[in-house]
Structure formats: C-alpha cells, structure tokens
Amino acid sequence: MYVEEEVFDSDNLYHCGTCDRLVKAAKSAKLRKLPPFLTFSLLRFNFDFVKCERYKETSCYTFPLRINLKPFCEQSELDDLEYMYDLFSVIIHKGGCYGGHYHVYIKDVDHLGNWQFQEDKSNPDVNLEDLRNEEELDDPLMILKAVLLQEESNLIPVDQLGQKLLKKIGISWNKKYRKQYGPLRKFLQLHSQIFLLSSDDSTVSLLKDCSLQAESDIRGNDQQLLKTLTSEPPGLNDRPFCPHWFDINDSRVQPIKEKDIEQQFQGKESAYMLFYRKSQLQRPPEARANPRYRVPCHLLNEMDAANIELHIKRAECDSTNNNFELHLHLSPHYHFFNGALHPVVSQTESMWDLTFDKRKTLGDLRQSIFQLLRKILHLPLPKRDGPDALPSLLLEFWEGDMVLSVAKFVPAGLHVYQTLDGDHLTLCEIEIADGEDIFVWNGVEVGGIQIPAGSDCEPLLLNVLHPATSNEEEECQQLIDSPHVFPSNAEIGSVFTAFAIPDGVILVNKTESVGEESWITIPKEDLKKTFREQGLRNGSSILIQDSNDGNSLLTKQGKWITSVNEIDWLQVKNLCQLDAEEEQVKISATLNTVVFDIRIKAVKELKLMKELAEDSCLRPIDRNGKLLCPVPDNYTLKEAELKMGSSLGLCPGKAPTSSQLFLFFAVGSDVQPGTEMEIIVEETISVRDCLKVMLEKSGLSGDAWHLRKMDWCYEAGEALREEDAALKELMLCSGDTLLLIEGKLPPLGFLKVPIWWYQPRGPLHRWKSHQDQTDCTFSQGGVWRADSIQDAPSDAHTEVSLRYLGDVEISEDATLGELKSQAMTLPSFSEFSIPSPAFLRAWTVESKRPGRLLRAHYQQLREYKLGQRTEICLEPLQKEENLGPQHVLLRTQMRLPGKRAYALPVDLVWDTARGWTAGSLRHRVADFYSLPVEKIEIAKYLPEKFEWLPIPSWNQQITKRKKKKKQDNLQGAPYHLKDGDTIGIKNLLVEDDDDFSTVRDDIGREKQKEFALGKKKSQEALRVRSGDVPSGAETPARPRGPEASLSIHVGSFR
C-alpha cells in the first residue's frame, strides 16, 4: 500500500490551481473502505539492474501479529476495533530466486486441531547441566534424549537438533561424535528403537518406551486420551489469547507456537506473504471443531476415500520400515566339521528367510519359528486343544529345548556367538540387525558333537606349512601348504598335536612389503599363548620346522626368505676412467643388502685395483643418464630408496659422511644438462664460506656474487640472503642444486629492479630481458633486436621492442609513482621526453614480454608482491590515465579489408564491473569503433601458438546439474583474458570470412614445425652416437623435477 505521506516544501512547492501560486502541501493515499481480509506481499524477489540477474531479499522484515489501520483510513471516527486486523496465515519460502519450497503457517481459527504439545514428564529433572559433570556427556544417546526432552512436542527438525546440541554443550556433533559414530542423521537411523524419523528424514522425535511397564502406562492413558480427543478442546474461550498455529508443509502438519513466527523474519527461509483478518470477524458456533462444516458432500466423499487410502499406505509404510529379514539355520541340516558348522547338503537348502517385525518380542519370534518348522517338517495340525499343543508336538520332533543364537559366517564356516534370552524383550532392545543369521538348536550339541560358542573360541583358518615325509618316514625338502582350523583361544602349541609332530619350531609370517617375507620364531615360553594373543588372524601363515634339522632356514636376524622368490639384481657401471675387462656388471642383492657389500662385489667383478675399495662410491644414474648424489656405504637398498634393476655408477672419491652435504652448483640461471659442478661441504658451513668455495672451484673472483637455490621446476628460486646462516639451518639437503648469480643482493627490505623501456609496435613482437644481452645486439635508436636462434624459431623474424635502461634499488615501502620517478633519473632515460611519472605505464616483465599491469600510482611496491627477481618495463603515454581495479587494458587491432593483415594496435579500456562476459566485451568494442555489435567478430591472439581464438557472441550456457543459466567468464578457460592481450576485430560489413590469421602466423607455425622436427632428429642422432648410455636412458635434456599435485590460488594484485 502506498500510504506514506509526501510533503512538498522548500524547493519542491506545490502549484495551487485555486490561488495560482506555489504553496506548501502534503500528498497521501487514504483507505476509504476496509475489506474483511488483507493480503500483503513482502516483495522478497527482486532484480539487480547492475548485475542483470534476479536475487532474493533475505534481510530482516518484522511484522506484527495485530495491526491497526486507523492512521491509514479516510474515516477515523469509528470504534478502534473496526480497524484492528489479526494475522492468521503466513506463506514461507525456503530457497533462492531460482528455486525453493513453500510451506505455510495457519492459525487454528476454528479450533480444528485435536492434539496439543506433549511434554514428557517421566523424567523432568533431566537437564544438560547435570550431565556436564558426568561421563554421560560422552554418550550421544543420553545427550540427544535430553535435548529432545526439553522440546515441548518432542519433535524437532534434524537440522535444528544439531544446532541445539551445539548451543547446549558448546561443541558440534561433527567435532565430538562424528569420528566415532558417523553423521548425525545416520546415527539416528541406526538407533530406530529410540528415535523416530519422518518418512523424508527431516524431523525426529523420541519413541515411546517399549517395555511392559510403559505399555501398561500407555493403555492406562488411552481412555483419558480418547476423552480429551472427543471432548471440546480445553480453553476455547481463551484461544484468542493463546492461539494455536500449525505448520502445513506438503503432507506433514505439525503444531507450532506463536513465537516461532519470529524466526521467519529473515534468512533464506523467511516470510513471503502475510494474511490478516478483521478482529471482529466471528465464526459461527457450529464451525468450531467441525472440519466438515459447509463442505460439499462430493468433496467429503473424496476426502473419506483419500483418508482410507492414506491409512492403508501408512500401514504398508509402517510395515516396510519396521520389518527386516532374518536368515534361519536349523541344526538338523548342519554338521560340525573342521572346527565350524557346515551344511549337510548346500547353503541354499539349509537356510530359510523369515520377514519379521522388529518391534515384536523374542517370544513372538520363537512362535513364528514354530509355525515355520511345522511347514518345513510337514507336520499335521494337532487334534488336541490348547495353546501348547503345537509347541509340544514340535518339541517332540525337535528332541530338546529350542535355543536361538546369533551366528556369523567366518572363513572356516558358520560359528555360533550370542544366545538370545528374554522372551519379553523386543528385537530392537536385544539389537538384532537386519539380515542377521539365527541358528536354531538345542543349545548344547549338533549331531551328537558339543559345539563351542562365543567370540572367545571363534575359529581361525590358518595356512600351515610343514615338511612333507616320504614313505620311509624320512623328511623331504619340499614344504606342504595345508589349511587348518584352530579355535582362537587354543594354545599355539596345539599345532604339534594337530599334525602329529612331537617337537619342533613354529615360525609366524610377518609380511612387511611385497616381494619380501619375514618369518619370526615363536619362543618356547610363548607356545602356551593363544592364537589371539599372538596376533594371528584368518589367512595368517605359520611354519613348522623340526628342531633337529641342522639346515635351518633362519638367518641371524630371524628372517627367512622363501626359495620361490626370484633373485633381484642391480647394474653397476664402471665410471672410474680406468681400464677394465668389463664395462658393467650385475650384482645380486635384496632390499636388505648393504651398499658397501654391493660396491666391494662390483670392484671384484670389474677386476679393478684394490685401492678403489677404499676410495670409491656408488652413485645412482637417473633416466637421463645424470649421476645423482652418492649413496652412503652403511645404507641398505631399502633405506637408500633404490629399486631393483636400477643402474649405479662406480665413481672415484668417497661418499659424503652423515655430517656432510653433496651439492651441485652452476654459474648463471640458464643451466644446461651436464654443466653442473659438484662439491662436498660440511653441513655446518655458512652461506658466505660456501660461496667462496664455489667461486674458487669455478675459477671466478670478485664480491658481486650471490647464491640462489634451484626450485622444483629447475629455475632460479629465492636467494640465500642469510650469509651467516649454516646450510643445515636453511634446510639444504644432499643433491640440491645451487646457482651462482652475478650481482650483489640489495639490503633487506629493498628491491633491485631492472628497468626496461617498452615501445609497443605490434601484436607479434617478442621481448628480451637484460640477462640475455649476450644473444642480442643494439640497432640504431637503442632498441634490442633478437638474432636468429635455433632453439627459438618464433624470434627469428621478430623485432624486439624492449630496451634495457638500468637497475633501480628502491625500498619495498616506496610507491609505484616513486619507482617511476627514480627510473626517470637513470642516465639512459635522458633521451626521452616524459613530462611526469603520470605519463608512464608500468608492466612486469614475464617470459620476456610485458606481463602484469601495475596500476594504482600511490600503492606500495610491497602490496604488488613483486619479489627479488621482478623486472619492470615502462611504456610512454600520450595522456595521463587512472585505471581502476575493474578496468582491463586491451590492445585492439582492426583487420584490413581484403588483406591478411591488421592496422596498428589501439589501446582500449574495458570496464568489467558488469561481468567478464563476451557480450559485454563485444558491446564495448562495437561502441569504441562505432560499429553495430552484430556486425563485428572478435578473437584473442595467442602469440606462443601463432593462433587466433574467436570469442563467440553468446554469453550464457546451461549447466545440466543445476539446470540454470551460468554466465561465461572470459577470465577462465580457454580465453584467460588479461591486461595487454591483443584482440583482433573484423568488420562483417566489408569482410565476412572466418579467418583471423595473417601471413606471419603461417610462417611462424611452419617454423615451429620445422624446429620440432629438427629437434627430434638431433635427439635421435645423439642417441645413436651415445652408445655408452645405459639401457632405458633417454637423451640428456633439460632436467625436470618430480611431478607433484599442487593447489595454486592466484590472487588479484591490482
């Protein structure tokens, strides 16, 4: 309703038609006549014209239970009650603007509700404060019971149950109980004997006690309950002050309190529409508690038929939810053999399935089994009367008492565990699970054999290896593997009795890894221990060996290796640069062989000088033929992580000790395979001393050097700044590679930034960094030009437009503007005429070309996270610019009509505040070039591949899972649009073909193919010439680090 008063004053006066002048006035809308019912829509759904998408308003909107409309009415002289309206219904929406669910709160005006909130008064003193100081706090059953008992209706949504648990005990279910008991909803389902879940598992309540005492209490209260339901609901005259509300949610109706309406003021589940009725409206007396009042007869008939069908479905659902399957095994169909029960005929013929209600008692189950036995045994109905006639007849055939026991299948067969007692208990109380196996017997014996029962004597199926004997009773070398069953509580020494061996040694298999078997001898004093105490389980292997056998299979370490395993070996290559009869040999070894033994065997078999036994080491050879870090002599192959069949190199020199480090190092950042040098230093040496040793070994001098550690992608990483720190403190390990980089490191907190001059010329240009000056030459004007390089064919025809100006040493706290100002003081900058730093655009140099655009003139360099190896290039501008975080700078080029070429690039600033969509970009380009948006085609240029990637005109796609529109994002794959990218534009008014490529692109792709083909041929030729490369090794190439799974988050540093 638009009833707010609008005042016209000050600069917004009203022109009066009567007096013909501007006067103060007020405008408002008044209600002339009030209806009996009012409907309000809270306008939860709205449209965002900035993002061009719908959204749901979830903010708080409070509404009263009673509203007075007198201030909004034209006539106000009536009684106040004429203007009063009471809230009687609220429509609630749960979800978002693209989908959700509606339910409604309705006030019980006619008092149709025939139930009240039931409070369990059986244990009113239970509260969580008493449980805090008891061990019951660790029992989730007690906690959840206490939470539900505090609810007035014992009924609560499962989601709110978790929240109330968190509020009461101060810790969530997932943190305290999930690891042990699983998710909350699954825990409630597993304890269906205590908790009652609704059909859709959304609400939970406590079940009534199933004991006999509880049943008598319920029967005693049935009459009182019936009296309450049939009589007039109590307190009808008081209902206006204590209204009764219902929540109608599809087929689920439950009572709520009036205060629950306040929870729907805000959030994803909130009020959507409000319904008010006049307070003076009175329903006729005959409508009270009469749901059939003024309902047409044909509708009443339909309702009755629907209710009958509903009751039938509820009964079927109740049966489905409470019935489970039991597998019955009758003892006459089983016999005891080899430590367990086995069927006489077959498993299928010896087992019967019984569907039973888990709410019934064990006595009921026993009676049902009697009925089933009568059908199975085909016994006639008894002629004598009495309830015990049939059981007596069956017991005569059964020959003993009927005992029900829980049984389980184990590898040895069927084993009897717990005997079921207490015929008055329900199957839920004795925790019988669905699909349980029940063994029906007399409780003592089966087929005249006494049956061991219980978990203590559970049968174990073991694999026993024992020596075979010949006809002359002489032992053979062959071992026989035979399965045998032993009770888990039997002594291990009973193995001798089972195999008629007077005495001997028992070994247990302790398998540690694939390909290795470890057998441990059991001492004689432990032979009296049980199989369970010794840790044996189903499938374990034991070995019986005669104690008089002199050829023991045990080693000194107590390990025994089966002779079936194949002998493993390592290949050792002679790299000592000495003449030998053999170039390489194979040395037999196992994972427990010590490296020293392998090295001595290799020296002997290669027939080298004995001096090498004291002054040599073994070094692994990787797949590229590179020698890795030497392996210490005291390591086993398993400790050294060496695989069987790998290649080792026998090299002169001793391996580093435990306090030394073996390091690779190289000069410069461009490390070629095979150019690394090696050094052994103490792990306590400082970075400064290590640098001196490396400079001395490489023949370099001077103080303008520093060390950097090679990172995982084999590039120069962060510098080792702490020159006084020991290598061990910096977590350096043997095998790491350090790089000698020329140049002194700046002080801590300062950056040494190389500055380049960037003059863009076209989209197909390459850039060169100052570290590659040896491969470049100056041309006229001081612009770098790239020479033709064999390993970079894309640079052979490209003019580089980056010029090195010098280095700037600046604090990380300085701003980008101060960096530009300091760069303008460089001597090489004097030939350029730049009025102020605002006429310079700064880029980082990445992959030898401008990469990330640095905006925000007054932002500190520290916030850009530049790093110690960042290079900056400066681009001149014709006018000042102020790019915001939502602006993207693109190089646009218009395609020349009739030619496979483009015009010079023009900078275009695109505002992405409304999204990174293709439609938004197309509209910006069309507006910039004054062309119709439907008459242009755009594409992004990929200089590495010499390809153009078209950007289509569509801007939405439909996801199959959520079935809603999803905006495309040019920041993601496959476009990855960013600052500085080149966008080609084609005017369809003059050219309508699909080709964006140029002649230079064809030349570049052709040279890439030629370069790849030449590289492949050179590798093959090198492989042919390298006849001494170990088998399986590839051509030495740029080393690659081990692959690893990484999760990288790239932030926005604009």
Side-chain angles (χ1 to χ4, degrees):
M1 298 186 301
Y2 301 93
V3 295
E4 185 175 357
E5 185 177 273
E6 181 180 0
V7 179
F8 299 90
D9 59 358
S10 300
D11 296 336
N12 188 25
L13 295 175
Y14 176 72
H15 183 269
C16 180
T18 304
C19 58
D20 193 20
R21 62 188 181 90
L22 298 175
V23 297
K24 292 184 178 181
K27 182 181 72 172
S28 64
K30 295 291 185 178
L31 301 177
R32 180 167 296 174
K33 183 180 179 181
L34 294 177
F37 298 95
L38 289 177
T39 302
F40 296 94
S41 177
L42 301 186
L43 301 179
R44 290 287 184 184
F45 304 109
N46 213 331
F47 188 83
D48 190 341
F49 288 94
V50 177
K51 297 182 179 180
C52 294
E53 63 181 12
R54 299 177 62 194
Y55 70 96
K56 179 181 178 182
E57 182 62 58
T58 59
S59 58
C60 181
Y61 183 87
T62 59
F63 48 86
L65 298 176
R66 169 169 289 192
I67 185 173
N68 187 359
L69 297 182
K70 186 175 183 179
F72 312 108
C73 293
E74 185 178 10
Q75 299 178 0
S76 59
E77 62 274 3
L78 301 178
D79 187 17
D80 289 347
L81 292 178
E82 294 289 339
Y83 305 99
M84 302 301 293
Y85 283 81
D86 291 331
L87 181 70
F88 74 95
S89 180
V90 181
I91 294 181
I92 300 166
H93 180 264
K94 179 180 181 181
C97 61
Y98 292 104
H101 178 70
Y102 290 97
H103 62 104
V104 62
Y105 288 174
I106 295 182
K107 186 178 180 181
D108 188 10
V109 179
D110 287 339
H111 312 290
L112 301 178
N114 56 0
W115 70 86
Q116 299 290 328
F117 285 94
Q118 300 177 0
E119 296 183 4
D120 191 348
K121 298 181 180 180
S122 60
N123 192 8
D125 298 332
V126 176
N127 58 63
L128 293 177
E129 295 297 328
D130 297 334
L131 295 177
R132 292 182 183 274
N133 301 324
E134 301 177 2
E135 295 181 356
E136 295 173 346
L137 188 61
D138 294 330
D139 185 4
L141 284 175
M142 296 296 298
I143 300 297
L144 294 177
K145 284 181 182 179
V147 172
L148 288 172
L149 287 175
Q150 291 182 350
E151 295 297 317
E152 296 177 347
S153 62
N154 281 350
L155 182 69
I156 186 174
V158 178
D159 297 336
Q160 293 185 15
L161 178 61
Q163 297 175 2
K164 290 184 178 292
L165 179 69
L166 172 63
K167 183 178 179 181
K168 296 295 184 182
I169 68 176
I171 187 171
S172 65
W173 174 275
N174 289 342
K175 290 185 177 180
K176 186 170 181 63
Y177 302 112
R178 183 183 176 94
K179 185 176 182 181
Q180 183 176 359
Y181 299 99
L184 176 59
R185 200 179 302 272
K186 183 177 180 181
F187 179 83
L188 297 175
Q189 293 173 352
L190 293 176
H191 294 80
S192 57
Q193 71 276 14
I194 300 176
F195 306 102
L196 178 62
L197 284 166
S198 60
S199 59
D200 57 351
D201 293 344
S202 60
T203 60
V204 62
S205 61
L206 279 176
L207 279 174
K208 295 181 180 179
D209 192 3
C210 297
S211 62
L212 295 177
Q213 182 178 359
E215 290 180 356
S216 62
D217 293 341
I218 293 174
R219 287 193 295 267
N221 294 331
D222 280 345
Q223 297 180 355
Q224 181 65 26
L225 179 61
L226 180 62
K227 181 179 179 181
T228 303
L229 295 179
T230 55
S231 62
E232 184 179 5
L236 289 177
N237 297 329
D238 299 332
R239 280 300 180 90
F241 303 99
C242 298
H244 195 186
W245 287 74
F246 294 92
D247 178 13
I248 301 179
N249 193 346
D250 290 342
S251 60
R252 186 176 71 253
V253 180
Q254 60 183 5
I256 62 170
K257 282 199 171 184
E258 202 171 53
K259 63 180 180 180
D260 295 337
I261 302 177
E262 300 177 0
Q263 301 177 3
Q264 309 300 332
F265 285 164
Q266 61 185 350
K268 290 186 176 181
E269 184 177 6
S270 53
Y272 171 62
M273 294 192 69
L274 309 177
F275 297 88
Y276 288 84
R277 66 192 304 270
K278 270 195 171 183
S279 301
Q280 290 188 340
L281 287 179
Q282 297 293 331
R283 297 284 290 166
E286 57 270 18
R288 288 199 171 191
N290 184 11
R292 295 175 173 264
Y293 175 70
R294 298 188 67 179
V295 179
C297 294
H298 68 281
L299 292 181
L300 291 176
N301 295 333
E302 291 183 11
M303 290 167 49
D304 294 338
N307 287 332
I308 293 174
E309 183 180 0
L310 178 62
H311 285 303
I312 295 175
K313 290 183 177 180
R314 283 180 176 173
E316 294 176 354
C317 180
D318 183 70
S319 176
T320 303
N321 293 334
N322 294 284
N323 288 352
F324 60 7
E325 295 288 336
L326 297 177
H327 305 306
L328 300 181
H329 304 267
L330 306 182
S331 61
H333 295 80
Y334 279 82
H335 67 284
F336 189 78
F337 171 74
N338 200 12
L341 293 168
H342 298 273
V344 176
V345 184
S346 64
Q347 187 64 49
T348 56
E349 297 180 4
S350 303
M351 183 176 66
W352 287 266
D353 293 334
L354 175 64
T355 302
F356 200 73
D357 191 343
K358 60 184 177 182
R359 296 171 297 181
K360 293 185 177 180
T361 63
L362 181 61
D364 297 333
L365 175 61
R366 201 181 303 275
Q367 292 295 328
S368 298
I369 295 177
F370 273 123
Q371 297 291 335
L372 180 63
L373 286 175
R374 185 185 61 79
K375 296 179 181 179
I376 296 174
L377 302 175
H378 303 288
L379 293 178
L381 291 173
K383 296 182 179 180
R384 57 179 180 267
D385 298 330
D388 299 332
L390 179 62
S392 300
L393 182 59
L394 291 176
L395 289 177
E396 291 176 4
F397 180 86
W398 190 264
E399 298 180 355
D401 297 333
M402 177 182 290
V403 176
L404 304 181
S405 300
V406 177
K408 293 182 181 180
F409 282 99
V410 294
L414 186 68
H415 181 66
V416 178
Y417 287 86
Q418 172 191 1
T419 299
L420 302 180
D421 296 323
D423 285 358
H424 64 282
L425 298 177
T426 64
L427 300 188
C428 293
E429 293 176 332
I430 59 180
E431 298 181 352
I432 297 296
D434 188 14
E436 197 84 78
D437 291 287
I438 303 297
F439 190 68
V440 185
W441 61 317
N442 59 9
V444 179
E445 60 184 13
V446 173
I449 301 177
Q450 188 172 359
I451 304 300
S455 58
D456 294 337
C457 56
E458 178 182 333
L460 297 178
L461 181 61
L462 305 178
N463 297 322
V464 182
L465 292 96
H466 56 92
T469 56
S470 62
N471 296 332
E472 289 78 10
E473 301 297 331
E474 294 179 358
E475 293 186 355
C476 301
Q477 295 297 327
Q478 184 180 4
L479 292 178
I480 296 179
D481 186 358
S482 59
H484 201 280
V485 179
F486 296 93
S488 57
N489 59 352
E491 296 181 358
I492 297 181
S494 61
V495 175
F496 298 119
T497 305
F499 286 90
I501 298 177
D503 194 8
V505 179
I506 298 179
L507 300 91
V508 179
N509 184 11
K510 300 291 185 179
T511 302
E512 298 179 357
S513 61
V514 178
E516 179 184 0
E517 293 185 354
S518 176
W519 295 82
I520 298 179
T521 305
I522 299 179
K524 289 187 177 181
E525 57 270 15
D526 291 343
L527 292 179
K528 295 184 179 181
K529 290 185 177 180
T530 63
F531 290 94
R532 187 184 299 276
E533 293 174 346
Q534 198 63 34
L536 295 177
R537 55 184 182 272
N538 286 299
S540 297
S541 299
I542 60 176
L543 170 66
I544 304 176
Q545 187 177 0
D546 190 358
S547 59
N548 298 324
D549 189 3
N551 300 322
S552 177
L553 299 175
L554 295 174
T555 62
K556 294 181 180 180
Q557 289 81 12
K559 295 183 178 181
W560 178 80
I561 308 299
T562 60
S563 58
V564 181
N565 295 339
E566 295 182 359
I567 298 177
D568 295 319
W569 52 268
L570 294 172
Q571 184 172 268
V572 180
K573 183 179 178 182
N574 178 21
L575 299 178
C576 294
Q577 299 180 353
L578 296 177
D579 294 334
E581 296 183 2
E582 300 290 341
E583 290 290 337
Q584 56 189 17
V585 293
K586 289 184 178 180
I587 305 298
S588 301
T590 64
L591 291 176
N592 294 317
T593 306
V594 182
V595 175
F596 174 78
D597 298 337
I598 298 176
R599 184 169 63 84
I600 297 301
K601 289 181 181 180
V603 171
K604 292 180 180 180
E605 294 190 17
L606 288 172
K607 299 180 180 179
L608 299 175
M609 296 183 299
K610 295 182 179 180
E611 290 78 4
L612 288 177
E614 299 295 333
D615 190 19
S616 62
C617 62
L618 291 178
R619 299 178 61 178
I621 303 175
D622 67 0
R623 54 184 297 182
N624 296 321
K626 178 183 176 181
L627 289 172
L628 303 181
C629 176
V631 182
D633 283 345
N634 58 344
Y635 277 26
T636 63
L637 297 185
K638 185 176 182 180
E639 294 171 343
E641 298 181 357
L642 292 176
K643 297 182 180 179
M644 294 300 171
S646 58
S647 298
L648 300 175
L650 182 64
C651 304
K654 294 184 178 181
T657 63
S658 59
S659 62
Q660 292 178 331
L661 297 177
F662 182 91
L663 302 176
F664 297 97
F665 71 96
V667 180
S669 59
D670 191 8
V671 181
Q672 298 298 326
T675 61
E676 301 95 337
M677 292 175 279
E678 303 165 355
I679 188 174
I680 297 178
V681 294
E682 295 291 333
E683 62 180 6
T684 56
I685 191 174
S686 64
V687 175
R688 181 183 290 105
D689 295 338
C690 182
L691 176 61
K692 292 180 180 179
V693 175
M694 291 181 177
L695 288 174
E696 181 180 354
K697 188 168 183 178
S698 57
L700 300 174
S701 60
D703 297 332
W705 295 89
H706 65 276
L707 288 177
R708 291 182 181 271
K709 185 178 179 181
M710 183 179 288
D711 59 13
W712 65 275
C713 57
Y714 284 79
E715 295 179 356
E718 292 295 326
L720 303 182
R721 289 187 163 274
E722 302 178 17
E723 295 184 348
D724 295 329
L727 301 183
K728 181 179 180 180
E729 298 174 359
L730 300 179
M731 308 300 291
L732 288 176
C733 306
S734 290
D736 288 345
T737 303
L738 299 180
L739 301 178
L740 282 168
I741 305 298
E742 189 173 7
K744 200 72 175 176
L745 289 174
L748 190 63
F750 281 78
L751 298 173
K752 187 176 182 180
V753 184
I755 304 297
W756 293 79
W757 181 258
Y758 168 50
Q759 189 89 33
R761 297 176 181 269
L764 302 177
H765 289 174
R766 297 285 187 261
W767 292 269
K768 207 70 174 177
S769 68
H770 74 287
Q771 297 175 359
D772 303 310
Q773 294 177 9
T774 57
D775 297 329
C776 301
T777 57
F778 271 113
S779 66
Q780 295 180 358
V783 180
W784 289 105
R785 293 182 182 273
D787 296 337
S788 296
I789 307 173
Q790 292 181 357
D791 61 350
S794 60
D795 291 346
H797 66 283
T798 304
E799 182 180 317
V800 176
S801 57
L802 263 164
R803 176 179 174 182
Y804 176 63
L805 300 179
D807 294 340
V808 171
E809 189 171 310
I810 191 170
S811 172
E812 292 181 345
D813 297 328
T815 63
L816 179 61
E818 293 173 348
L819 174 64
K820 296 177 182 179
S821 300
Q822 192 166 341
M824 294 177 63
T825 62
L826 294 174
S828 302
F829 205 92
S830 59
E831 59 183 275
F832 305 112
S833 178
I834 303 298
S836 69
F839 287 83
L840 292 175
R841 181 186 292 157
W843 302 79
T844 61
V845 179
E846 300 174 3
S847 301
K848 304 178 182 179
R849 65 170 59 93
R852 178 161 54 101
L853 177 61
L854 304 181
R855 57 196 80 202
H857 190 72
Y858 297 101
Q859 189 170 346
Q860 291 183 344
L861 301 179
R862 186 188 305 275
E863 299 177 5
Y864 287 111
K865 303 183 187 300
L866 296 180
Q868 294 294 332
R869 296 180 58 81
T870 304
E871 302 177 6
I872 302 295
C873 63
L874 301 177
E875 176 187 355
L877 301 175
Q878 297 297 326
K879 60 179 182 180
E880 297 183 9
E881 70 176 6
N882 184 19
L883 299 179
Q886 300 293 337
H887 292 156
V888 179
L889 180 66
L890 301 174
R891 313 283 192 188
T892 60
Q893 288 187 283
M894 178 64 70
R895 188 175 178 89
L896 300 177
K899 300 181 181 180
R900 297 185 64 194
Y902 290 87
L904 292 178
V906 180
D907 291 349
L908 179 143
V909 178
W910 173 34
D911 188 1
T912 61
R914 294 191 177 183
W916 286 72
T917 62
S920 175
L921 177 59
R922 289 173 58 85
H923 279 84
R924 178 68 182 100
V925 173
D927 182 65
F928 184 79
Y929 283 93
S930 301
L931 292 173
V933 66
E934 67 274 5
K935 294 300 181 181
I936 64 170
E937 289 293 338
I938 59 177
K940 177 188 173 181
Y941 184 65
L942 306 177
E944 300 87 357
K945 301 180 180 179
F946 296 97
E947 294 177 355
W948 294 85
L949 183 60
I951 300 178
S953 57
W954 54 266
N955 61 353
Q956 287 181 342
Q957 58 182 354
I958 305 299
T959 60
K960 294 182 179 179
R961 178 178 296 181
K962 296 186 178 180
K963 296 184 179 179
K964 68 178 183 179
K965 295 180 179 179
K966 177 182 177 183
Q967 295 286 339
D968 71 308
N969 193 333
L970 296 182
Q971 281 184 301
Y975 302 102
H976 302 289
L977 203 63
K978 62 183 184 302
D979 293 310
D981 282 347
T982 299
I983 301 296
I985 306 164
K986 185 180 294 186
N987 186 358
L988 298 182
L989 295 175
V990 296
E991 189 177 13
D992 58 353
D993 62 327
D994 299 333
D995 185 23
F996 277 89
S997 63
T998 64
V999 177
R1000 182 168 291 180
D1001 295 333
D1002 298 340
I1003 298 174
R1005 287 194 296 268
E1006 192 64 29
K1007 289 193 174 184
Q1008 280 186 338
K1009 294 180 181 178
E1010 294 176 359
F1011 170 70
L1013 183 60
K1015 185 176 181 180
K1016 183 178 181 181
K1017 291 182 179 179
S1018 62
Q1019 289 179 350
E1020 292 177 354
L1022 182 60
R1023 186 179 295 110
V1024 172
R1025 292 196 303 268
S1026 304
D1028 56 343
V1029 177
S1031 177
E1034 297 180 355
T1035 304
R1038 184 179 181 87
R1040 299 184 60 182
E1043 296 183 359
S1045 177
L1046 299 178
S1047 178
I1048 302 176
H1049 172 73
V1050 180
S1052 179
F1053 305 118
R1054 295 180 176 176

